Amino acid sequence: MSLTSKKAKVRSPRVRAQEPRPVDLDVLPTLLGFNIRRAQIALWRDFAHSVGEGEIRPGAFSLMLLVSANPGIAQIDIANQLGVDKATVVALIDRLESEGWMSRTRSSEDRRRQNIRLTPEGTKVYKMLRKQMIEHERKFVERFTPQELRTLISLLKRLHG
Amino acid sequence: MSLTSKKAKVRSPRVRAQEPRPVDLDVLPTLLGFNIRRAQIALWRDFAHSVGEGEIRPGAFSLMLLVSANPGIAQIDIANQLGVDKATVVALIDRLESEGWMSRTRSSEDRRRQNIRLTPEGTKVYKMLRKQMIEHERKFVERFTPQELRTLISLLKRLHG
């Protein structure tokens, strides 16, 4: 009897070690920063699975969207609209140009300006990515009523607007 | 007269080129993914300026918070709570261990398990970072009423929960 109970005592921590232990999350779940980051990670992961077979990042997609909607747009206008610095945009366009999806041409109006355009191949790729992106977006959007979605987006804009 | 108007015509595109041009944003402002990413970038930038002088990332801070609240926590439990993979956690702990802020000790209960703890130096650093993080968080939280903040966090949890 006493041996059994001693054995049980010795074994029990080993068994417990394999079960998930309760974790004290402190203030983490109440932090805006933590919740935004977790949401961003969840969206990012699904985007990577769903759009461009993991070969395209959300920032590159947004850039292609802007260039598609504004043929000949300048790099600085892209940077301003995406809220990233110009060096990031230049590096992204370098990559997309080397894929053969984008072209830079010197502006005839202003020699310091480069006009960014999608190539015909880039336009084809963009159309496919856009369809995949809309499917990806739908998976998250359908968790909300239209009113909730409007509220969420308007509150998010207050963080980055 | 005709020379002047010709000159004006030639100069006008150059002047316009330096002003911001209207940009068609297409569906971008209505996308959940785009708005989450922009919010995340805004928070990230302020965090980098406000917490640990740009030397600490939000993920490393969250990790220190979890270890502080759960001395001896296992790496896998950290990964589960932060929603990142174990390799990411291992790399983060490697860095924090090399700073002298964290220690790994083999569990006496389960030899496969490593217990993660803050060192006394790590505890001091964490307390300072936590104060800075709360200041950083406040700058964003004060843009909302308490009710709006509860709504925002509960809608965000639906994205990552």
Side-chain angles (χ1 to χ4, degrees):
Chain A
M1 262 300 265
S2 81
L3 188 70
T4 314
S5 78
K6 205 179 170 187
K7 248 186 169 170
K9 251 187 199 160
V10 171
R11 283 184 60 202
S12 100
R14 288 192 177 235
V15 174
R16 264 194 282 119
Q18 291 172 43
E19 289 164 8
R21 301 179 180 213
V23 173
D24 177 0
L25 295 175
D26 196 346
V27 293
L28 223 41
T30 69
L31 292 177
L32 194 49
F34 180 70
N35 282 285
I36 290 279
R37 213 160 61 84
R38 289 294 300 269
Q40 160 69 5
I41 291 171
L43 279 154
W44 174 286
R45 277 199 184 142
D46 187 77
F47 188 99
H49 283 127
S50 312
V51 183
E53 297 169 346
E55 294 295 312
I56 192 109
R57 291 176 160 225
F61 175 79
S62 299
L63 193 154
M64 290 179 84
L65 180 147
L66 278 186
V67 175
S68 171
N70 305 273
I73 189 172
Q75 297 181 126
I76 187 66
D77 291 333
I78 297 172
N80 289 340
Q81 296 301 333
L82 298 184
V84 294
D85 56 45
K86 203 182 156 191
T88 304
V89 169
V90 168
L92 262 174
I93 295 174
D94 283 348
R95 232 202 82 207
L96 296 167
E97 202 178 18
S98 75
E99 297 274 1
W101 298 348
M102 263 184 202
S103 69
R104 286 178 165 109
T105 49
R106 198 59 65 198
S107 167
S108 54
E109 291 173 5
D110 177 352
R111 301 295 298 163
R112 290 157 305 179
R113 182 190 153 101
Q114 289 196 315
N115 294 333
I116 313 299
R117 284 188 177 79
L118 290 176
T119 61
E121 171 67 13
T123 303
K124 237 172 71 185
V125 170
Y126 169 67
K127 281 183 182 162
M128 183 199 69
L129 294 175
R130 185 179 170 114
K131 272 188 205 141
Q132 295 174 341
M133 187 280 298
I134 286 168
E135 271 308 292
H136 148 76
E137 175 87 3
R138 210 164 52 86
K139 277 181 250 170
F140 293 91
V141 160
E142 67 190 13
R143 301 180 191 182
F144 305 103
T145 67
Q147 178 55 48
E148 283 171 338
L149 186 65
R150 274 193 298 275
T151 301
L152 175 54
I153 287 185
S154 115
L155 294 173
L156 287 172
K157 281 192 204 299
R158 233 185 279 168
L159 287 171
H160 70 74
Chain B
M1 262 299 264
S2 81
L3 187 70
T4 313
S5 78
K6 205 180 171 189
K7 248 186 168 170
K9 251 188 200 162
V10 172
R11 283 183 59 202
S12 101
R14 287 193 178 235
V15 174
R16 265 195 281 119
Q18 291 172 44
E19 288 162 8
R21 301 179 180 213
V23 172
D24 176 0
L25 295 175
D26 197 346
V27 294
L28 223 41
T30 68
L31 293 177
L32 194 50
F34 180 69
N35 282 285
I36 290 280
R37 214 161 61 84
R38 288 294 300 269
Q40 159 69 5
I41 291 172
L43 280 154
W44 174 285
R45 277 199 182 140
D46 186 77
F47 188 99
H49 283 126
S50 312
V51 184
E53 297 170 345
E55 294 296 311
I56 192 108
R57 290 174 163 228
F61 174 79
S62 300
L63 193 152
M64 291 179 84
L65 179 146
L66 278 186
V67 174
S68 170
N70 305 273
I73 189 171
Q75 298 182 126
I76 187 67
D77 290 334
I78 297 172
N80 288 340
Q81 295 301 334
L82 297 184
V84 295
D85 55 45
K86 203 182 156 192
T88 304
V89 168
V90 168
L92 262 174
I93 295 173
D94 283 348
R95 233 201 81 208
L96 296 167
E97 201 177 19
S98 75
E99 297 274 2
W101 298 347
M102 264 183 203
S103 69
R104 286 177 165 108
T105 49
R106 200 56 68 194
S107 166
S108 54
E109 292 173 6
D110 177 351
R111 302 294 300 162
R112 290 157 305 179
R113 182 190 153 103
Q114 291 197 314
N115 294 332
I116 314 299
R117 284 188 176 80
L118 289 176
T119 62
E121 171 68 13
T123 303
K124 237 172 70 185
V125 170
Y126 168 68
K127 281 184 183 161
M128 182 198 70
L129 295 175
R130 186 180 170 114
K131 271 188 206 144
Q132 296 174 341
M133 185 279 298
I134 286 168
E135 271 307 293
H136 148 76
E137 175 86 3
R138 210 164 50 88
K139 278 181 248 170
F140 293 91
V141 161
E142 67 189 13
R143 301 180 191 182
F144 305 103
T145 66
Q147 178 55 49
E148 283 171 339
L149 186 64
R150 274 193 298 275
T151 301
L152 176 53
I153 287 184
S154 114
L155 294 173
L156 288 171
K157 281 193 205 298
R158 234 185 279 168
L159 288 172
H160 69 75

